[in-house]
Amino acid sequence: MGIIGEKAQTNFVISTGDNFYDDGLTGPDDPAFNESFSNIYTAPSLQIPWYLVLGNHDYRGDALAQLKIDRRWFCSRPLFIIYSAIAEFFFVDTTPFVDDYFTNPKEHVYDWRGVLPREDYLSKLLKDLDVTLKNSRAKWKIVVGHHTIRSAGHHGNTTDLVTRLLPVLKANKIDFYINGHDHCLQHISDPDSKIEFFTSGGGSKAWRGDIKWWDPKELKLYYDGQGFMSVQMTKTRADIQFYDVFGNVLHKWSKTKELNSVGHRKALMYEGRVV
């Protein structure tokens, strides 16, 4: 990531959740923060802003301990937006959408402080997202969440997001949805919604070995191992690349739009991180 970030002169990094495995942080002073973040991403090119969403594993610890802002780390909820002249990134807290975490938590204990009452939390999130997407004049609209919407991986499609979040994304004609959750690298082009679905979940645990059948016309990439993806954007073009841990390019994809003036924005993504 550091090498690719240096070559691309990356502006920021996105993490797609499950930032600390298996059970999030125990509190604000948990040494895991340094062990799994500060002491790992030491390359000079990665000393830039990191924008993060929470994953379901983060909610199994002290979720509030991750909701902070400092020089490198920006994590908030239920919705935050990064604005630029080229694109707008909408970061959505997807874990509270999943019924199973509330009705069948098994042995896990989730930190729902600030989320309950759940329906009020989700209703406000969806309303705010819909309004901000409708008001956006950005050439590119990109939504980031932890959970899958379209995936051929182990978890597959997240039904609760398909039912509640996807209609908002379709109605507002977003360009990309970027997620983690499934521990793989993946690209699905959805002919129904016209949304490109990118999974960047190969930041650590991977090689699960199970993949569901998916129409090969839609499934542009499925890689079961570790890696990350990069996004380089201008007002007229988006270039997506997926890399393995050695920096080998696994998949390239581009999309163009018509516009007069041109600017640049670059990001790395990984569970995920996006660089």
Side-chain angles (χ1 to χ4, degrees):
M1 285 179 63
I3 293 169
I4 300 300
E6 182 178 1
K7 290 178 179 177
Q9 297 183 318
T10 301
N11 298 106
F12 59 90
V13 182
I14 292 173
S15 174
T16 55
D18 282 357
N19 305 312
F20 301 96
Y21 230 77
D22 281 329
D23 296 315
L25 296 177
T26 59
D29 300 319
D30 190 335
F33 187 88
N34 288 329
E35 293 167 358
S36 295
F37 177 67
S38 303
N39 298 343
I40 300 297
Y41 301 101
T42 57
S45 66
L46 302 181
Q47 309 308 304
I48 52 180
W50 287 58
Y51 302 112
L52 308 96
V53 292
L54 297 176
N56 52 299
H57 285 267
D58 298 312
Y59 268 102
R60 294 179 188 174
D62 183 344
L64 301 185
Q66 293 193 47
L67 300 179
K68 63 179 183 178
I69 300 171
D70 62 24
R71 182 180 61 85
R72 282 179 80 191
W73 184 278
F74 188 109
C75 184
S76 187
R77 68 174 191 194
L79 170 70
F80 70 93
I81 306 161
I82 303 300
Y83 299 92
S84 79
I86 299 166
E88 290 179 3
F89 292 78
F90 302 79
F91 293 78
V92 176
D93 185 21
T94 60
T95 300
F97 281 94
V98 182
D99 286 337
D100 207 40
Y101 301 142
F102 293 85
T103 61
N104 185 32
K106 300 177 182 177
E107 74 277 11
H108 304 299
V109 177
Y110 291 89
D111 181 6
W112 297 129
R113 289 176 295 168
V115 172
L116 304 177
R118 178 191 176 205
E119 193 53 43
D120 291 348
Y121 184 89
L122 295 178
S123 295
K124 185 177 187 307
L125 191 165
L126 288 168
K127 180 180 179 181
D128 290 347
L129 177 63
D130 186 49
V131 169
T132 52
L133 283 170
K134 279 185 169 59
N135 291 336
S136 172
R137 295 295 177 265
K139 192 63 179 177
W140 302 92
K141 299 178 185 180
I142 302 162
V143 176
V144 179
H146 173 65
H147 289 79
T148 59
I149 293 181
R150 298 286 186 233
S151 174
H154 174 77
H155 293 103
N157 298 348
T158 304
T159 304
D160 302 297
L161 292 188
V162 172
T163 301
R164 302 196 65 175
L165 181 60
L166 183 56
V168 176
L169 307 187
K170 290 172 65 175
N172 289 285
K173 299 180 180 179
I174 75 160
D175 296 286
F176 312 144
Y177 177 77
I178 300 171
N179 61 271
H181 200 44
D182 269 333
H183 298 175
C184 62
L185 304 176
Q186 185 176 195
H187 175 197
I188 291 177
S189 294
D190 186 6
D192 174 46
S193 66
K194 309 301 182 185
I195 299 171
E196 303 295 326
F197 292 92
F198 299 108
T199 297
S200 183
S204 183
K205 184 179 180 181
W207 305 109
R208 194 148 196 170
D210 55 348
I211 176 174
K212 299 173 177 63
W213 184 90
W214 203 281
D215 187 338
K217 294 178 181 178
E218 300 175 13
L219 185 62
K220 308 299 184 183
L221 168 72
Y222 190 93
Y223 179 69
D224 198 36
Q226 291 104 339
F228 59 98
M229 62 178 283
S230 71
V231 180
Q232 297 195 35
M233 306 185 77
T234 69
K235 287 187 177 180
T236 58
R237 183 181 175 96
D239 291 296
I240 312 294
Q241 293 195 100
F242 285 84
Y243 304 86
D244 67 13
V245 294
F246 303 105
N248 299 312
V249 176
L250 301 169
H251 174 61
K252 292 182 179 181
W253 179 86
S254 299
K255 182 177 180 178
T256 58
K257 292 188 176 187
E258 293 182 0
L259 200 67
N260 293 327
S261 58
V262 179
H264 297 273
R265 198 69 173 165
K266 301 165 188 174
L268 285 175
M269 312 195 183
Y270 152 72
E271 173 161 277
R273 318 282 193 240
V274 180
V275 191

